[in-house]
Amino acid sequence: MTSPAPASLPHSKGWVIGRVLGAPLILQPVWFLVAAVLTAVLVPLVQSALPGTATGWTILVAATFVVVLFASVLAHELAHAWVATRLGQRVHEIVLSALGGHTAFTRGGLGPGGSALVALAGPLVNLVLGGALLALAQPLLATHRAAGVLVAAMASANLVVAAFNLVPGLPLDGGQLLASLVWRLTGRQHTGTVVAAWVGRALAVGLLGWALVLPLAAGRSPVPFTVLWTLAVAAAVWSGASGALRQARTQERAGALSVESVGRPARAVPAVASAADVVAALTGGSFEVVLVDDGVPVAYVDRGALASVPPHALAQTPAWSVAAPLHPGAAVDADLRGTDLLTALVAAFRVQPVVVALAEGRVVALLVDGDVARSLR
């Protein structure tokens, strides 16, 4: 699976076991629990496929299958990452989780065609691996049955991983392909994401129906393990689809972002001014006050601190004593719009939560991270 990675996105929790294409490769600890459960479930199946095999060898074959299965998932994610980097994107992280994995990367300027290529890369690798392993399994089954059974199982696993990921619903790769197609047809990325996300939600509901409703309709009791596993997968699909919907809404709002819509109008006052000068600048409108030194913004007035100064002491109180400093880098171009402005704000808010907007070097507004976050919600 793939997911967008905003510049401010933190890394997923887990153990960093290496770096690939400049991004951390993260293994989540719950993987070991899932691997142990899968091994235990597979042992009876291996025993039925290889009767007479010693218990130790049976466990080894089952455990080997599980490790190779997750290696196939890793190959799937590496394919996403490699194609993304070839298309000029920066990979944020590659994660191996309990139910598979995901690759997060920036999507700036990728377009529907590029997004489709990245999404298709993962399942394509699994299809190729599955086909190659299936061809290898045929002669092995006749000469070395244990090895042949293991290779055939690995081939089946790769084909299943590819087929499931090609289902057209987010957060699966097939969902990204559907989103890219709708994006291409409508010209709106938002529409593509919304359509594919709702298909993903329908898929999650369908999985639960398959595990619960179908057995009951056939007069059978649902298998508890199947129900629990399907519930986990359905929950992950629903969560991913819902996250895509939220992100689509955020992206749509980000497209309309401007300094005028989220900024607080500001006036510049010389840094050597007094608190009385600040009060005069505030008269006649709702403004913030920024102190400038040789045209460079150096501080913004804290209204709470200003209000604490007695009226008779305003003229003798330096303006800088009721102001908070503006650190270098806490500024954005007031002419930026949409996602360009959001990208600039993300970088500036790393410096401090209040930044100044400048138009040709002139102070026009203050922007507060909380105000911007509320506008995106």
Side-chain angles (χ1 to χ4, degrees):
M1 291 187 290
T2 62
S3 59
S8 59
L9 186 71
H11 289 297
S12 299
K13 294 180 179 179
W15 298 328
V16 178
I17 59 176
R19 297 189 72 85
V20 181
L21 300 172
L25 175 58
I26 300 172
L27 178 65
Q28 296 186 334
V30 72
W31 177 89
F32 291 97
L33 174 61
V34 174
V37 171
L38 279 178
T39 301
V41 170
L42 290 171
V43 165
L45 299 177
V46 175
Q47 288 174 335
S48 63
L50 300 172
T53 304
T55 302
W57 281 107
T58 302
I59 295 174
L60 180 61
V61 170
T64 301
F65 171 78
V66 171
V67 171
V68 174
L69 172 62
F70 277 91
S72 300
V73 173
L74 176 59
H76 177 109
E77 299 305 330
L78 291 178
H80 287 315
W82 185 80
V83 173
T85 56
R86 296 294 293 177
L87 293 176
Q89 307 306 302
R90 182 180 64 83
V91 178
H92 177 70
E93 64 180 10
I94 302 169
V95 181
L96 292 178
S97 58
L99 298 175
H102 76 264
T103 300
F105 60 95
T106 58
R107 292 180 183 267
L110 199 53
S115 295
L117 285 175
V118 175
L120 188 60
L124 185 59
V125 164
N126 290 123
L127 286 172
V128 171
L129 285 174
L133 290 169
L134 197 58
L136 178 62
Q138 301 306 316
L140 284 176
L141 286 170
T143 57
H144 301 84
R145 182 166 176 77
V149 168
L150 178 60
V151 173
M154 292 187 298
S156 300
N158 272 278
L159 295 175
V160 168
V161 168
F164 181 70
N165 271 280
L166 286 173
V167 174
L170 287 173
L172 302 175
D173 298 324
Q176 186 58 57
L177 290 172
L178 174 61
S180 298
L181 175 61
V182 176
W183 181 5
R184 172 72 73 181
L185 294 175
T186 64
R188 298 190 70 228
Q189 183 180 11
H190 172 78
T191 302
T193 303
V194 169
V195 169
W198 276 106
V199 173
R201 282 184 163 184
L203 170 63
V205 174
L207 286 171
L208 288 178
W210 171 80
L212 290 171
V213 178
L214 282 184
L216 292 175
R220 304 190 310 269
S221 297
V223 179
F225 178 79
T226 301
V227 172
L228 289 175
W229 188 257
T230 305
L231 179 62
V233 174
V237 171
W238 181 276
S239 176
S242 299
L245 278 175
R246 288 192 298 271
Q247 188 174 65
R249 298 188 188 106
T250 298
Q251 288 175 338
E252 189 173 43
R253 295 185 180 113
L257 199 64
S258 67
V259 169
E260 293 79 6
S261 65
V262 296
R264 303 177 183 182
R267 288 178 173 175
V269 169
V272 295
S274 67
D277 296 324
V278 172
V279 171
L282 290 172
T283 303
S286 178
F287 295 95
E288 302 295 333
V289 172
V290 174
L291 304 183
V292 296
D293 185 12
D294 289 334
V296 178
V298 293
Y300 65 95
V301 171
D302 182 333
R303 285 178 174 261
L306 180 64
S308 67
V309 179
H312 66 272
L314 287 171
Q316 291 76 39
T317 303
W320 55 260
S321 68
V322 293
L326 282 167
H327 302 295
V332 296
D333 184 348
D335 293 329
L336 293 176
R337 294 287 187 276
T339 54
D340 290 336
L341 175 58
L342 182 59
T343 300
L345 286 173
V346 167
F349 285 147
R350 286 175 179 165
V351 177
Q352 67 180 93
V354 177
V355 304
V356 62
L358 303 174
E360 299 180 352
R362 179 174 54 86
V363 172
V364 295
L366 276 183
L367 297 105
V368 181
D369 58 357
D371 294 346
V372 175
R374 281 189 292 273
S375 72
L376 295 177
R377 289 196 295 268

